[in-house]
Amino acid sequence: GIWMLFSGNDSGETMTPGGFAAVGEEDDATACQNLMSEYYSAIMSGNGEELYKLMAPPEYWEYYMEEYGKAESDIISTYDDAARNTLAEWHAGCGDDAKVSFKIEASGYQTEDFLNEWSTAMNNMLGENALTAEAAMTLNVKQTVTGSVSTNETTTSPTLIKVNGVWYILDEGV
């Protein structure tokens, strides 16, 4: 396994998708909080295009589309379906008025080896020095779906990665 240093979320704050820090003014923890908020907002609104943008850098998607003969619309459609299916599950389990909130309960940075392996693998696919992983964090996220029928709490462990200055969701951890 990969050794990680975990730190707790002392704020005790449960977030609902919404408010963001100004771009460029956020530290890693805030950036990860904002990314997860954007992720849940995209699911709640069924916005596959937003999910597509949150999952990988444009350079990767260009490679993927060329390599696998996919159009951008195909990928977005897949994320549209995924968002709709997730929302349908939440509605089925908790009620048609189901809403999601989340709390990052812990986070841990991945190792330099993890970053180097990711960067090497990407650059082998995309070409020399196309993308550089600057940081990666695995989170412990308590997700609460609340509706008129019931409330469902689950824990996920997404891994987020900062590439060329921008954070993405490397693995949803579900």
Side-chain angles (χ1 to χ4, degrees):
I2 295 174
W3 179 84
M4 294 181 297
L5 176 67
F6 281 90
S7 62
N9 175 356
D10 298 329
S11 72
E13 186 177 11
T14 299
M15 296 296 294
T16 48
F20 308 105
V23 173
E25 293 180 6
E26 56 192 23
D27 59 15
D28 289 347
T30 304
C32 290
Q33 180 78 37
N34 289 344
L35 181 57
M36 293 307 298
S37 185
E38 291 173 51
Y39 169 77
Y40 284 115
S41 292
I43 291 173
M44 288 300 296
S45 62
N47 189 339
E49 185 171 3
E50 184 64 21
L51 287 171
Y52 160 76
K53 291 175 184 173
L54 298 175
M55 295 298 174
E59 296 88 343
Y60 171 77
W61 287 123
E62 289 166 20
Y63 162 82
Y64 181 89
M65 288 182 271
E66 190 174 308
E67 183 72 15
Y68 297 102
K70 300 280 184 192
E72 185 177 52
S73 59
D74 297 330
I75 301 165
I76 291 170
S77 176
T78 299
Y79 281 117
D80 281 338
D81 291 344
R84 271 195 300 274
N85 292 340
T86 298
L87 202 50
E89 285 176 27
W90 291 349
H91 287 167
C94 297
D96 288 339
D97 59 345
K99 300 277 186 253
V100 65
S101 61
F102 70 96
K103 178 181 176 188
I104 298 173
E105 296 191 311
S107 61
Y109 280 95
Q110 295 284 1
T111 62
E112 281 299 314
D113 285 346
F114 178 93
L115 300 176
N116 292 334
E117 284 175 29
W118 186 91
S119 296
T120 299
M122 275 297 136
N123 291 321
N124 286 343
M125 283 191 299
L126 305 177
E128 202 63 33
N129 299 319
L131 298 173
T132 303
E134 297 161 19
M137 294 180 89
T138 297
L139 310 177
N140 184 335
V141 179
K142 183 166 78 175
Q143 167 187 294
T144 306
V145 180
T146 306
S148 55
V149 174
S150 71
T151 296
N152 184 14
E153 282 186 359
T154 53
T155 300
T156 62
S157 299
T159 298
L160 313 185
I161 191 164
K162 186 178 185 179
V163 179
N164 296 4
V166 180
W167 283 92
Y168 297 95
I169 298 173
L170 180 63
D171 180 346
E172 293 175 89
V174 259

